[in-house]
């Protein structure tokens, strides 16, 4: 059996509860089948259904069945439209951004990891020879769309502290924590160098990791990387964990938090 959005919808709880981050079960089914959202993001499926359906959908994706390849473009256009009425000048201070103009239009200067990009109402501008991942664009549009303004709390929390985060915790573990600790196990000095090259600031007190570095991928989205190196004699494996400021959900959704942490892992493991 093939699973198109309707076939998958029939397997869902049909309560439209929103725990998956989508406004309805049908929207979720569409995202899973066509756009790569994980079936586990719905916490109301039993394991047997999950196994059976997830396997079939994975096989479909491998063959390109029902897959919409321009997902990022659709999401990006949707978000660009949504921020159309945002007052850039008014939201800039709350987001830690600089308001500017470009070709006579409103624009925002956005420091993003180790670069600064300019977002106008017509798009994101980077240097002519620079490449910019379309999913990074989606993240930046989301940051503007949320228009958070809460002052940072200075309290570091794990993703598990945020409501309905269970499905994303698995993604964070696989896409970030595991990648960092596997790559840098037994190589703490190398991790330290990679952190410094990426502009991380060592945090010396108050954390129990062997190493703690603070990063600021976006002005109101600080991340704290904790790392414990392996101890072979004690049989202790390396571990890594990303913490977020307690206000993080004012600035991005869970998907965005996971993405930005995975991006950090990408950059650290490719320096
Ligand atoms: S979490 Fe599951 S039941 Fe709730 S809206 Fe999403 S798909 Fe439907």
């Amino acid at each position: 059996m093939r699973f198109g959005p309707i076939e998958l919808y029939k397997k869902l709880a049909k309560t439209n509860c929103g725990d998956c981050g989508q406004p309805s079960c049908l929207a979720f089914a569409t995202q899973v089948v066509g756009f790569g959202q994980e079936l586990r993001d719905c916490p109301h499926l039993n394991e047997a259904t999950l196994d059976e359906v997830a396997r079939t959908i994975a096989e479909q994706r491998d063959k390109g069945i029902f897959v919409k390849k321009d997902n990022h473009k659709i999401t990006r256009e949707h978000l660009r439209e949504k921020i159309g009425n945002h007052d850039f000048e008014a939201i800039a201070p709350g987001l830690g951004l600089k308001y500017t103009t470009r070709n006579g239009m409103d624009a925002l200067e956005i420091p993003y990891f180790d670069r600064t990009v300019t977002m106008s109402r017509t798009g994101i501008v980077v240097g002519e020879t620079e490449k910019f991942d379309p999913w990074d664009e989606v993240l930046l549009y989301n940051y503007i769309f949320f228009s958070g303004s809460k002052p940072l709390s200075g309290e570091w929390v794990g993703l598990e502290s945020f409501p309905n985060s269970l499905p994303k915790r698995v993604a964070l573990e696989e896409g970030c924590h595991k990648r960092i600790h596997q790559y840098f196990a037994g190589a703490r000095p190398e991790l330290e160098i990679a952190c410094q090259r990426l502009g991380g600031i060592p945090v010396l007190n108050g954390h129990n990791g062997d190493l703690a570095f603070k990063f600021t991928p976006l002005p109101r989205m600080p991340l704290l990387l904790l790392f414990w190196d392996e101890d072979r004699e004690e049989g202790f494996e390396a571990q890594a964990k990303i913490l977020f400021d307690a206000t993080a959900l004012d600035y991005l959704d869970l998907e965005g938090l996971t993405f930005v942490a995975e991006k950090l892992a990408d950059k650290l493991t490719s320096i």
Side-chain angles (χ1 to χ4, degrees):
M1 177 182 184
R2 281 185 177 185
F3 281 97
I6 301 298
E7 288 77 21
L8 177 56
Y9 172 73
K10 288 178 185 167
K11 295 273 183 187
L12 302 174
K14 305 181 196 72
T15 57
N16 300 333
C17 66
D19 289 347
C20 55
Q22 298 297 337
S24 67
C25 294
L26 186 57
F28 176 70
T30 305
Q31 287 299 317
V32 171
V33 170
F35 299 106
Q37 183 164 0
E38 291 305 319
L39 195 57
R40 283 192 178 276
D41 286 356
C42 170
H44 307 295
L45 282 166
N46 64 44
E47 283 298 321
T49 308
L50 257 178
D51 284 352
E52 175 210 336
V53 180
R55 200 177 326 115
T56 308
I57 289 178
E59 287 168 9
Q60 288 179 183
R61 281 183 193 153
D62 287 347
K63 293 175 188 163
I65 298 170
F66 298 125
V67 174
K68 305 281 187 276
K69 293 200 171 58
D70 287 343
N71 182 17
H72 60 80
K73 283 189 191 161
I74 295 166
T75 311
R76 186 185 56 195
E77 293 318 309
H78 177 65
L79 284 166
R80 186 153 64 195
E81 228 173 81
K82 280 192 161 186
I83 65 164
N85 293 327
H86 281 39
D87 181 340
F88 280 9
E89 192 165 11
I91 63 174
L95 290 170
L97 305 180
K98 185 177 167 199
Y99 170 75
T100 183
T101 55
R102 187 178 172 87
N103 299 330
M105 281 192 296
D106 285 341
L108 293 166
E109 282 185 10
I110 310 177
Y112 179 51
F113 281 102
D114 45 359
R115 68 201 301 188
T116 297
V117 300
T118 304
M119 178 189 287
S120 74
R121 294 195 187 279
T122 55
I124 291 177
V125 182
V126 293
E128 273 178 24
T129 54
E130 290 182 89
K131 286 190 180 154
F132 203 55
D133 182 337
W135 286 112
D136 287 319
E137 288 191 47
V138 170
L139 181 84
L140 298 188
Y141 277 119
N142 251 320
Y143 186 65
I144 304 304
F145 173 66
F146 269 68
S147 296
S149 59
K150 277 188 188 167
L152 296 180
S153 68
E155 181 192 352
W156 295 108
V157 298
L159 196 72
E160 64 277 9
S161 301
F162 298 123
N164 305 319
S165 60
L166 187 59
K168 286 295 156 203
R169 281 184 238 161
V170 178
L172 185 70
E173 191 55 36
E174 290 296 319
C176 178
H177 296 164
K178 208 165 164 182
R179 283 177 61 200
I180 294 175
H181 77 66
Q182 286 183 342
Y183 194 86
F184 289 105
R188 180 184 147 183
E190 285 81 354
L191 175 58
E192 202 162 343
I193 291 167
C195 288
Q196 284 164 348
R197 284 194 184 152
L198 202 56
I201 296 171
V203 177
L204 302 176
N205 299 315
H207 301 288
N208 60 0
D210 292 336
L211 176 149
F213 266 81
K214 179 184 166 189
F215 297 87
T216 310
L218 284 162
R220 297 290 186 265
M221 186 51 56
L223 302 179
L224 184 68
L225 166 65
L226 300 179
F227 177 78
W228 296 261
D229 208 348
E230 65 183 9
D231 186 333
R232 290 190 178 174
E233 282 180 16
E234 296 288 330
F236 180 69
E237 285 190 0
Q239 288 181 51
K241 187 169 175 72
I242 293 287
L243 300 181
F244 303 87
D245 190 85
T247 60
L249 282 186
D250 200 44
Y251 292 94
L252 285 174
D253 55 10
L254 292 168
E255 185 88 34
L257 301 190
T258 310
F259 178 87
V260 82
E262 288 176 351
K263 201 78 194 178
L264 176 67
D266 270 354
K267 287 180 177 285
L268 287 173
T269 54
S270 59
I271 274 181

